[in-house]
Amino acid sequence: MPVWVDPEKCNGCNGSSQPPCLRMCPGDLIVKDHAENKAYLKYPEDCWDCLPCVKVCPEEAIEFHLSFQFGSKGARLIPHVPKKGNQITWEAIDLKGNKEVFTIRTKIMQVALDEKVEGGAEAIDFSI
Amino acid sequence: MERKIIHTDFLIIGGGTAGCMAAVEMKERYPQCSVTIMEKAHIDRSGCLAGGMNAINAYLNKGETPESFVRYVRADSCGLVREDLVKSMSELFEYGVKKVEKWGLPILCDDDGNYIPRGRWNIKINGESLKPILAKAARSAGAKVYNWVTVTNLLTKEARVVGAVGFSLRNGTFYVVQAKATLIATGGAAGIYRPNNTGDASHKTWYSPYNTGAGYAMGIRAGAEMTSYEMRYVAIRTKDAIAPTGTIALGAKAPLVNSDGERFMVTRYADLGGDGAPTPYRAHGPVQEIKEGRGPIYLDTRGLSAEKVRDLKSAYLDMYPSQVLYWLANDIDPAREPVEVQTTEPYVVGGHCQAGYWVDKDRRTTLKGLYAAGDVAGGAPFKFVSGCWAEGIIAARAMGSDIEKMAPAEVEAEQVDAEEERAFKPLKGHAKLRHGISAVDFEARLQKIMEEYAGGVSTHYEMNEKMLTIARDRLAKLPGEVGQLVASDLHHLMKVHEVIDRIDVAQVLVEHLLFRKETRWPTYQSRTDFPNRDDAHWLKFVNSIRDPLTGEIEMITRPYEQIVPGDRYQAK
């Protein structure tokens, strides 16, 4: 599973109906379980490993995993996006635990916690 | 289902690289006009640029001109391009790049403030946030954005495109957009062929897996003339992670080598320019090495300094972070171990190759009221990010000047009703059909046919008349089975429409592959029964038009016109 939402850290962006991770996934793969107030990757087989969801999470609750077929578990790559300042810091940790830190210039664009959806007010239940 | 009617002057389908730039240009030049963007995902992070980019790969560095760019792209495309289109986009590279820099894109500069080249046509950027920067510019300019709308078809009236319809992935609202002029700016098509990886990594593809050919398909169905689908794109990418290799080849100057350490491009393709051979040959070379038993193939990074390796990792973090995690998870240090590369499954894409709408110099398609820019516009390869911007700008200017002469557009109620019925049928069918077909299964069937009979990875991208005829016959059965597709929710309804679109694209692609009886772009288009280039008969564009009523695909040719003088096979 390429990205994984840690249910311990995810707070569902509180009352947000469309938290940033849902909005930023270009494949529309992340959904929010409103009963549990948690986001999760509903369609892992379609994940592109592009990471906007990871970078935009205000709780740093989304972890990036490589599909196991590509390599051993244990290595980690964690982006930290500050609220201010135009840079991203990446922690890269190899299988032996060695850590390398990269700070890269970027343009930080503020992302609101929620956003109105155009059209009908309520989602339609198509379940049968 | 709730239906929402939108009236707009300009409709942009696809809020990506080309679409966002077009929206800004429209609002700046025609501030009184309304601009509406329909985007399948959320405009802030959609399509190819969702993860970011670390370079602008088409730019006129110091000493280069639009003419030198045309000469390069023409040679790189084995002598056949729309020179008028390539030239006009190159003339706007600087205009687009400077604009995006003004909006906040960090571009690497030297002490004098000049952009730092990374290869002949490339400049380095810190482009992690390129997509949100473009999205913000489009919104700030005053474009109205509808996110999570899957556009299913164009609306036409009396051979004129008058808008489009689609449904919301969030609440099922059916959108009917009535527009004076419509710009198609969606991506090309991934997922036509079986992908390199399987399981939960099946979408670990180079090209955005969410670019499914919808923009092509709706034009094909409406009867637009299409060009050059047979020039497929096959990329060299890092093994498994499928990360771009330009970062290593250009950024770290690492050469391609085979398992013997031989620089095979230099030895075997010297007459074509060695490492600088046309891009199809840079995919073809590795494929032949592997086919003839000299694989695997590597980019030789051995001996890079620690600082260079760090630069390499930084560059990937801006664009393709999983490559760095791949090295971490496999205990690979590129300075000690060369980076293994492989070729990808074929994609249909107008930004790197030439598949797309046949357009005039102003990016008008053959359908009145419809324009195309970016990956769906044909004939102009080597477009990448800045070429998509340029085409968005050119199309926006043409649309603005055209609509002043256009009568108001009206949509046909019957067409809208029929399209709403078609769009939602798989959801309604879900309750009725006991043994429906899922989009995933349908996609697997399509990909199996294309992989095995239309030049997939496992046949070294090769094909012949017999194989392609089998592909054609098997594909011909699929439209008849579309009625059995079912969807359990709106996300799966989107996926159903994606696979329907892919079928339409695949059928056109196979007709193009059958028609061109030469091999012009080895590996992109390798005909074993016509293994050589044949300028005497095939220095021309292969085009197609599907009859909207009968579904029959008619093949035609259009002449090549040389605008920039010189040897067509020499880049200099």
Side-chain angles (χ1 to χ4, degrees):
Chain A
M1 188 184 293
V3 297
W4 176 73
V5 185
D6 185 344
E8 297 289 316
K9 290 184 185 168
C10 177
N11 62 10
C13 287
N14 301 312
S16 171
S17 66
Q18 303 286 338
C21 59
L22 270 71
R23 303 208 303 275
M24 296 305 112
C25 175
D28 193 37
L29 310 178
I30 302 176
V31 299
K32 183 174 171 182
D33 179 338
H34 289 278
E36 297 287 329
N37 195 34
K38 307 281 179 201
Y40 68 101
L41 180 66
K42 189 175 179 186
Y43 310 100
E45 68 279 9
D46 288 349
C47 178
W48 193 32
D49 295 7
C50 57
L51 309 197
C53 60
V54 178
K55 288 181 269 196
V56 82
C57 176
E59 305 301 318
E60 293 199 354
I62 308 182
E63 284 186 27
F64 168 37
H65 295 176
L66 206 63
S67 291
F68 182 67
Q69 60 183 292
F70 291 156
S72 305
K73 283 184 180 290
R76 299 180 76 195
L77 186 61
I78 310 157
H80 301 291
V81 182
K83 293 234 169 4
K84 285 185 181 166
N86 287 326
Q87 62 184 47
I88 292 182
T89 302
W90 293 82
E91 279 183 84
I93 303 163
D94 71 12
L95 292 169
K96 298 174 193 122
N98 299 317
K99 185 158 88 174
E100 206 175 354
V101 177
F102 297 84
T103 298
I104 299 173
R105 186 169 65 134
T106 185
K107 169 86 179 165
I108 300 290
M109 311 292 277
Q110 295 299 324
V111 178
L113 285 189
D114 209 346
E115 196 174 76
K116 187 173 163 284
V117 179
E118 289 288 341
E122 294 298 318
I124 297 167
D125 183 8
F126 289 102
S127 57
I128 49 169
Chain B
M1 224 61 69
E2 186 177 338
R3 191 185 278 192
K4 182 167 172 127
I5 317 278
I6 297 164
H7 294 271
T8 188
D9 294 313
F10 301 117
L11 169 63
I12 300 172
I13 303 172
T17 329
C20 285
M21 186 59 93
V24 174
E25 187 73 12
M26 284 168 184
K27 288 304 285 186
E28 284 183 354
R29 297 215 164 213
Y30 303 93
Q32 303 309 317
C33 289
S34 53
V35 177
T36 302
I37 298 176
M38 308 284 261
E39 165 57 49
K40 184 169 77 167
H42 190 290
I43 191 170
D44 277 2
R45 290 278 185 179
S46 55
C48 294
L49 294 181
M53 274 300 293
N54 66 10
I56 300 288
N57 291 316
Y59 191 76
L60 303 181
N61 282 316
K62 203 170 176 208
E64 303 293 354
T65 62
E67 287 73 24
S68 70
F69 184 73
V70 171
R71 274 195 292 276
Y72 178 83
V73 175
R74 179 172 67 196
D76 195 68
S77 308
C78 305
L80 178 63
V81 286
R82 280 283 302 277
E83 297 187 13
D84 55 339
L85 303 182
V86 175
K87 183 161 178 284
S88 67
M89 77 182 188
S90 72
E91 287 162 352
L92 284 168
F93 285 161
E94 189 174 337
Y95 176 82
V97 169
K98 294 270 191 236
K99 268 196 150 177
V100 183
E101 185 181 32
K102 199 173 73 185
W103 299 334
L105 174 68
I107 302 181
L108 276 63
C109 293
D110 62 19
D111 292 341
D112 298 327
N114 301 312
Y115 298 156
I116 299 174
R118 187 201 79 165
R120 193 170 167 196
W121 308 105
N122 321 55
I123 52 173
K124 293 181 183 180
I125 60 173
N126 288 121
E128 189 281 330
S129 297
L130 188 49
K131 190 73 228 312
I133 290 169
L134 293 171
K136 188 180 177 195
R139 271 196 308 261
S140 302
K144 173 87 175 152
V145 181
Y146 291 86
N147 291 310
W148 301 303
V149 176
T150 292
V151 176
T152 55
N153 255 330
L154 299 168
L155 291 171
T156 53
K157 185 172 184 184
E158 288 156 11
R160 174 183 168 191
V161 172
V162 291
V165 287
F167 63 89
S168 163
L169 286 172
R170 286 294 180 269
N171 49 40
T173 298
F174 187 65
Y175 286 95
V176 181
V177 187
Q178 189 171 320
K180 287 182 184 161
T182 301
L183 173 65
I184 293 238
T186 65
I192 303 287
Y193 286 83
R194 189 182 287 162
N196 290 64
N197 298 308
T198 56
D200 72 354
S202 65
H203 276 70
K204 193 89 201 80
T205 57
W206 161 72
Y207 196 51
S208 167
Y210 317 119
N211 289 2
T212 57
Y216 291 142
M218 59 185 89
I220 289 168
R221 290 193 288 264
E225 184 174 335
M226 297 285 166
T227 190
S228 305
Y229 276 62
E230 73 278 15
M231 190 190 185
R232 309 173 302 165
Y233 185 54
V234 174
I236 311 178
R237 294 295 175 250
T238 63
K239 176 91 174 18
D240 299 340
I242 316 289
T245 50
T247 304
I248 303 175
L250 295 175
K253 306 251 186 312
L256 272 174
V257 295
N258 64 18
S259 57
D260 299 328
E262 179 194 7
R263 289 184 63 178
F264 58 91
M265 290 307 294
V266 176
T267 54
R268 264 181 265 283
Y269 298 89
D271 56 329
L272 291 162
D275 286 323
T279 314
Y281 287 93
R282 296 210 297 274
H284 186 64
V287 169
Q288 293 308 300
E289 291 303 298
I290 290 167
K291 192 179 164 189
E292 292 164 18
R294 294 183 295 273
I297 303 301
Y298 303 94
L299 280 164
D300 196 353
T301 48
R302 287 173 297 185
L304 283 186
S305 66
E307 190 191 350
K308 280 279 180 200
V309 170
R310 216 182 133 76
D311 287 349
L312 204 53
K313 289 178 180 171
S314 288
Y316 275 119
L317 291 173
D318 249 1
M319 166 183 70
Y320 222 94
S322 54
Q323 181 60 43
V324 177
L325 186 56
Y326 183 85
W327 285 331
L328 295 170
N330 288 285
D331 195 20
I332 291 174
D333 174 359
R336 282 188 281 117
E337 196 176 316
V339 178
E340 189 177 345
V341 296
Q342 65 180 143
T343 45
T344 64
E345 81 269 22
Y347 307 99
V348 182
V349 53
H352 285 63
C353 291
Q354 306 195 45
Y357 287 81
W358 182 253
V359 291
D360 72 5
K361 66 175 176 38
D362 293 321
R363 275 60 176 180
R364 295 181 190 93
T365 74
T366 55
L367 299 180
K368 197 175 175 207
L370 186 70
Y371 305 73
D375 271 345
V376 287
F382 225 82
K383 214 175 285 184
F384 315 135
V385 169
S386 47
C388 290
W389 288 337
E391 291 203 323
I393 293 159
I394 295 167
R397 292 175 182 177
M399 290 165 79
S401 70
D402 288 354
I403 69 162
E404 288 170 4
K405 295 166 270 175
M406 279 187 185
E410 276 181 44
V411 302
E412 305 244 12
E414 287 165 16
Q415 194 185 15
V416 173
D417 291 344
E419 185 57 21
E420 184 172 351
E421 173 71 21
R422 185 186 83 92
F424 290 104
K425 188 171 172 285
L427 265 182
K428 293 169 183 160
H430 185 259
K432 290 181 195 154
L433 280 176
R434 281 188 64 196
H435 300 290
I437 305 167
S438 71
V440 172
D441 285 348
F442 216 109
E443 186 177 295
R445 173 105 174 265
L446 168 71
Q447 290 176 349
K448 182 174 169 63
I449 296 168
M450 297 303 289
E451 169 69 21
E452 292 168 7
Y453 298 108
V457 179
S458 57
T459 57
H460 306 291
Y461 309 97
E462 292 172 350
M463 61 195 87
N464 60 33
E465 196 84 5
K466 182 69 184 165
M467 293 165 86
L468 288 168
T469 305
I470 295 170
R472 169 200 270 167
D473 292 346
R474 296 199 176 188
L475 288 177
K477 295 189 174 71
L478 299 187
E481 299 184 76
V482 157
Q484 297 178 61
L485 275 160
V486 290
S488 54
D489 60 23
L490 291 165
H491 181 83
H492 285 109
L493 185 64
M494 170 181 75
K495 294 190 66 112
V496 161
H497 283 284
E498 288 174 347
V499 82
I500 292 171
D501 291 340
R502 283 175 167 133
I503 294 163
D504 289 336
V505 173
Q507 285 192 300
V508 168
L509 169 60
V510 166
E511 293 305 321
H512 278 250
L513 290 168
L514 269 164
F515 198 80
R516 183 176 285 282
K517 297 192 190 330
E518 65 159 353
T519 295
R520 178 154 299 262
W521 307 283
T523 293
Y524 289 9
Q525 183 255 343
S526 290
R527 285 288 302 252
T528 51
D529 42 358
F530 301 99
N532 301 314
R533 189 171 64 217
D534 178 3
D535 273 355
H537 299 99
W538 290 101
L539 182 62
K540 56 191 176 188
F541 296 97
V542 169
N543 287 12
S544 59
I545 302 170
R546 199 178 96 158
D547 188 315
L549 297 176
T550 65
E552 273 183 40
I553 301 166
E554 182 195 357
M555 303 306 297
I556 53 176
T557 60
R558 294 270 196 166
Y560 157 78
E561 287 177 46
Q562 183 161 358
I563 293 172
V564 176
D567 183 336
R568 289 181 299 105
Y569 298 106
Q570 293 295 326
K572 295 266 178 185

